[in-house]
Each structure stands twice: as C-alpha cells, then as structure tokens.
Amino acid sequence: MNKTIVVLGTQWGDEGKGKIVDFLTENSDFVVRYQGGNNAGHTLIVNKKKIVLHQIPSGIMHKKVISVIGNGTVISPTSLVKEIKMLEANNICCKDRVYISPNASLILNYHISMDLAREKRLNEIVIGTTGKGIGPAYEDKISRIGIKIYDLANLNVLKLKIKRVLNYYNYQLVNFYKEKSIDYKVIFNELAQSASFILSMVRNVPEILYKAIKDKKSIIFEGAQGTLLDVDHGTYPYVTSSNSTVGGVCTGTGVGPKHLDYILGVSKVYMTRVGLGPFLTEVFDEIDDYFFLKGNESGSTTGRRRRTGWLDIVLLRKAIKINSLTALCLTKLDVLDELKEIKICIDYKFSSINSSIRKEDFIFSQNTLENITPIYETLPGWNESTAGITNFKFLPILAKKYINRIQELIGIPIDIISTGPSRDETIVIRHPFKI
Ligand code: IMP
C-alpha cells in the first residue's frame, strides 16, 4: 500500500535507523532527509559490504528510489561530493537520483573551525559535538546570515556573502578563540568548483513531494540523530542543533502533517550515547565492555566509543508521545543474547532534596537530574543466539517474554525487530507498507 512513513530515532541516535530505512525502501519511491547534516552516520551492510552514509538518504542503495535532501538539513558541499564519489565507486549510481532543496543551508570551513574552537576552549560547556560545524551552520541559518544552496547559482553574490560572514567569524576566531583566520578565497574557490555539480541536483522539493503524495507514491522520511538529541525536546544543552523529532519532517521538507501516515520509532534494546550529557541508565565496567564489543558501539562518524546503558522506558514513553509514534522497531536484539540478566528502567525515583520538582512536571534537563535514580526491573537472559532470526515464533521463549514486556510497558505495537545488521536479518510483525 502507498504511504508516507517517518523513521526516526527514539534515543540519542545510532539506533540502527539506516538499516531499517534501507529495509523498507524496497517498497518506496522516495527517501527524504529532513534535518541534520554529515554529523549523522547511517551504516548499511549490503551484500556483506559496509557502506556509511552521512548526508545522502539511505534509499540510495535501491536503484529505483529517489533520495531527497530537504531544506531543514545543513549540507557540507565537500563531504557531499566525496560521498557521491564513494557511492559511484561502489557502483551505486547517483545521477538524477539525488534531489536537493535550494533552501538547505551550507556548512563551510568557518563553521567547522568555530565548532572545534568552542569545544577546545569553553571547558565548562563542552558538548562533545561531532566537530562537523553543525551548530554554527544552524546558528547562521537562524540569524539569517547563512549561505544557502541557491546562493551557488550566483557566484558574484556568493563571494560577497562569504566575505561578509567571514569578517564576523574571523573576528571571533582570532580575537576570542586565538585561532587562525580563514581566507575567503579558499572557501569561495572550492565552492565555485563544485557549484554546477551541486546545482544539477537542485529541485523544488515541496512541490515534488506534494505531487508524489497526490500520485500515491510511497515516501520514507529518514530521521538523523534521535529524539533525545532534539534541540527542543532533548537533553539540552547536550543536543544537536536541529529538530530530530517528527515536527522536523514538516518544517524540514515542506510536507504538511496531515500527509504523514505512519511514524515508526527506532529503539535499540539497550541505549548508547556519544558525547557528553546525562544518561541515567548508563553502565560501566564489564557490562559496558560487553555492549561495546558485542554491539560494536563505536561512532560511525567520529569513531568515538559510545557510552552504553540499559533501556529507559520513561524516555521511550516520552519519545512515543512527542513523535506520536504509530509503532516501534526494536534493533540489536541479538546483542543481548549472552547476558544472564537484562535490566529495563521502568520508572525514576525522585529524591526529596529538591521538593520543588513535581514528578509529573519533570523535565529532562541538567538541573533536575541529580535528584533522580532509575528503578529497574530485571528479566532473565535467554543465553541462545537470536542472530539472523526472521520469524518471531522462532525466538527463544525468554526473548519473546522480554519483547512482550516492553510492548506492555510502552502501549504501542512493536512492528519490527532487527536481529542483525543485514537487510534480511529482520523480523516483521506488521509491515508498515502493508497494513
Ligand atoms: P553535533 O550535532 O555535531 O553538534 O553534536 C551534538 C551532540 O549530538 C553530540 O553529543 C554528538 O555526539 C551528538 N550527535 C550528533 N550526531 C549524532 C549521530 O548521528 N549519532 C549519535 N550522536 C550524534
């Protein structure tokens, strides 16, 4: 059945969305990115080959699918061109299959320098960013000094805009951060070289998607990062600079909310986070080593070791509400295979230290965190391999119990379970395109 489906993360990113998008794409005509930039790293294993995508939507792996990069994204032209070359070197044709909104914003060298300079200097509010210039690029967009994709169409105006904005950046980089200044010529010349190639991909994205919906085509909106990294709803200030929650789909593509048919939240059966910030169910020592090794938990963009922890149902429920999720997809079930016991955080205990905080008004922010400890339910592990299982009925009984318990706690259906990194290592309980 033709549908529009949103696939987004319910955690701090790295939930395995890329694989799920890739899996669902065989039934889709378009895959659309609506926010974020090359801070994302979507790892796909296709024909035993690992491909990491940063800016191009995961649908590119399927020949008939058009990949769309919406206006809500920030695009590094250098990294985009590199990614397209990498795909073409892997025999994945991108010509006429990648559409870019003219309103998407550019990430340029000065954004990266600023991102890195801040992380180096302001020790007290280090975020642990990916260092890709995401924050400064979004700041420029909001302060209306950003350079947009459409600016590539007029090189004279582009030159003036870069000069103007660089004055501002160089002043801060040199005087405040004691970093080197940046020469506009380096940036301009690089952009001028890739301008016509990038412009060849520019399309009127809202019109194309509107027509696609009217023509009953199927569309997947692919979220980057995750709900808890959302700039408004996440663990601020330890968040990214975009709306990774469902609202970002509408603002980031120009598709209205009435046209979103099915919203799938993706959640690992445990949790990870890269960078700094609160993580109530975080584990250390041997359980952390276990998740790290068995789950291969190194960042696909920066290679950093991810922090790991138990599944937090309180946060999952929050993600369900904020995103009005239709259903959940659980990933990496097989990572739990060798654990004797598995914990799920089912609630929080609030200490009485700060009596001004009422539990029902709890906002997940830095200020309230010190007063909270997680309450766990412990379930027995199954100690059997679930790797590659494709039918729910073949799962060990204890694994079924574990999944059913999560479903009971969250109150929405679990439609998909991933049991390995490849497309075919997937249990489909209800297929989003077929219900
Ligand atoms: P930024 O998006 O590079 O500004 O980084 C802000 C925070 O989001 C940092 O904690 C990053 O580690 C995190 N982050 C950004 N993108 C991703 C992602 O794709 N997966 C996981 N964490 C991410």
Side-chain angles (χ1 to χ4, degrees):
M1 210 180 116
N2 301 97
K3 270 210 180 87
T4 57
I5 293 182
V6 181
V7 178
L8 54 79
T10 60
Q11 303 175 331
W12 288 288
D14 308 318
E15 298 91 351
K17 298 178 290 293
K19 171 201 153 158
I20 300 304
V21 170
D22 178 59
F23 170 75
L24 293 174
T25 298
E26 63 177 324
N27 297 88
S28 183
D29 300 292
F30 293 86
V31 178
V32 187
R33 275 279 304 270
Y34 55 93
Q35 44 71 232
N38 59 334
N39 49 348
H42 292 161
T43 307
L44 307 171
I45 309 283
V46 182
N47 299 332
K48 300 208 163 73
K49 204 163 178 186
K50 180 171 159 180
I51 302 258
V52 184
L53 297 171
H54 297 288
Q55 298 190 107
I56 307 267
S58 304
I60 196 74
M61 311 305 286
H62 291 256
K63 284 198 177 93
K64 71 173 181 66
V65 176
I66 303 286
S67 291
V68 182
I69 306 179
N71 60 278
T73 62
V74 282
I75 299 178
S76 155
T78 323
S79 133
L80 180 74
V81 171
K82 221 161 105 189
E83 198 165 319
I84 290 178
K85 282 194 180 144
M86 178 277 289
L87 286 167
E88 304 245 313
N90 279 287
N91 296 323
I92 298 157
C93 170
C94 295
K95 193 168 165 22
D96 297 326
R97 294 188 52 221
V98 180
Y99 295 176
I100 302 178
S101 164
N103 290 325
S105 302
L106 295 188
I107 309 173
L108 298 170
N109 279 354
Y110 46 84
H111 298 126
I112 299 170
S113 299
M114 183 62 87
D115 193 1
L116 297 174
R118 281 184 187 154
E119 290 280 284
K120 210 160 70 183
R121 176 172 161 128
L122 297 176
N123 281 335
E124 279 147 47
I125 50 161
V126 165
I127 308 288
T129 70
T130 57
K132 302 287 179 189
I134 304 297
Y138 275 113
E139 283 166 37
D140 280 7
K141 168 182 167 172
I142 302 300
S143 41
R144 295 160 294 183
I145 57 165
I147 313 272
K148 299 274 192 172
I149 289 280
Y150 63 71
D151 286 315
L152 297 174
N154 187 333
L155 293 182
N156 288 333
V157 176
L158 177 71
K159 194 186 278 180
L160 288 178
K161 285 192 177 178
I162 294 174
K163 272 186 181 170
R164 189 187 62 186
V165 82
L166 253 185
N167 280 340
Y168 162 77
Y169 271 96
N170 277 339
Y171 184 82
Q172 291 191 61
L173 283 170
V174 173
N175 296 306
F176 188 74
Y177 292 104
K178 311 290 175 221
E179 297 286 338
K180 285 195 193 121
S181 68
I182 295 171
D183 183 353
Y184 87 89
K185 286 193 222 85
V186 178
I187 294 175
F188 176 75
N189 291 343
E190 202 180 324
L191 277 181
Q193 267 177 27
S194 57
S196 59
F197 176 62
I198 293 175
L199 288 171
S200 72
M201 296 182 267
V202 167
R203 299 286 189 285
N204 184 339
V205 170
E207 279 298 323
I208 286 172
L209 296 181
Y210 188 80
K211 182 166 183 311
I213 291 165
K214 290 288 158 214
D215 292 347
K216 305 233 172 300
K217 303 275 186 206
S218 289
I219 304 175
I220 297 176
F221 295 96
E222 176 180 33
Q225 291 80 50
T227 299
L228 305 175
L229 286 174
D230 182 283
V231 67
D232 286 295
H233 297 287
T235 47
Y236 192 88
Y238 300 99
V239 292
T240 192
S241 299
S242 64
N243 285 116
S244 42
T245 47
V246 73
V249 175
C250 299
T251 54
T253 64
V255 170
K258 273 202 300 191
H259 288 132
L260 307 181
D261 297 323
Y262 174 106
I263 303 157
L264 182 68
V266 183
S267 168
K268 275 198 278 225
V269 286
Y270 54 99
M271 293 180 93
T272 59
R273 117 167 262 178
V274 274
L276 302 172
F279 188 171
L280 284 177
T281 59
E282 184 165 11
V283 294
F284 303 93
D285 309 323
E286 60 290 357
I287 297 286
D288 177 45
D289 287 341
Y290 174 88
F291 283 138
F292 168 65
L293 292 171
K294 181 103 175 138
N296 192 18
E297 294 299 352
S298 309
S300 27
T301 299
T302 57
R304 288 178 291 178
R305 180 173 171 148
R306 296 175 184 145
R307 298 154 67 193
T308 70
W310 299 112
L311 184 63
D312 185 331
I313 296 290
V314 181
L315 293 180
L316 191 49
R317 284 189 183 131
K318 172 180 158 134
I320 289 168
K321 289 175 206 159
I322 287 174
N323 297 300
S324 59
L325 294 187
T326 313
L328 195 72
C329 163
L330 285 178
T331 59
K332 292 201 160 182
L333 181 70
D334 55 306
V335 172
L336 302 182
D337 284 353
E338 288 156 45
L339 288 174
K340 284 200 182 64
E341 290 187 330
I342 301 162
K343 289 186 182 182
I344 311 176
C345 166
I346 51 165
D347 205 349
Y348 295 158
K349 185 172 182 295
F350 286 65
S351 77
S352 55
I353 304 167
N354 189 343
S355 56
S356 63
I357 301 169
R358 293 190 314 156
K359 189 172 174 180
E360 57 274 33
D361 296 330
F362 166 63
I363 298 167
F364 198 72
S365 72
Q366 277 314 100
N367 301 337
T368 49
L369 271 172
E370 287 129 38
N371 308 306
I372 299 163
T373 41
I375 301 171
Y376 289 109
E377 184 172 298
T378 304
L379 284 88
W382 40 90
N383 283 287
E384 255 180 80
S385 173
T386 61
I389 290 182
T390 54
N391 191 323
F392 189 79
K393 71 176 182 219
F394 297 136
L395 286 176
I397 289 173
L398 289 175
K400 284 184 194 160
K401 279 195 173 158
Y402 172 77
I403 290 160
N404 289 338
R405 179 63 182 138
I406 294 174
Q407 181 150 309
E408 193 175 86
L409 287 165
I410 61 174
I412 62 164
I414 294 170
D415 280 357
I416 299 177
I417 301 162
S418 170
T419 55
S422 296
R423 246 179 226 167
D424 48 358
E425 296 173 306
T426 310
I427 298 172
V428 180
I429 297 166
R430 292 194 313 165
H431 195 297
F433 277 117
K434 296 177 188 163
I435 50 172

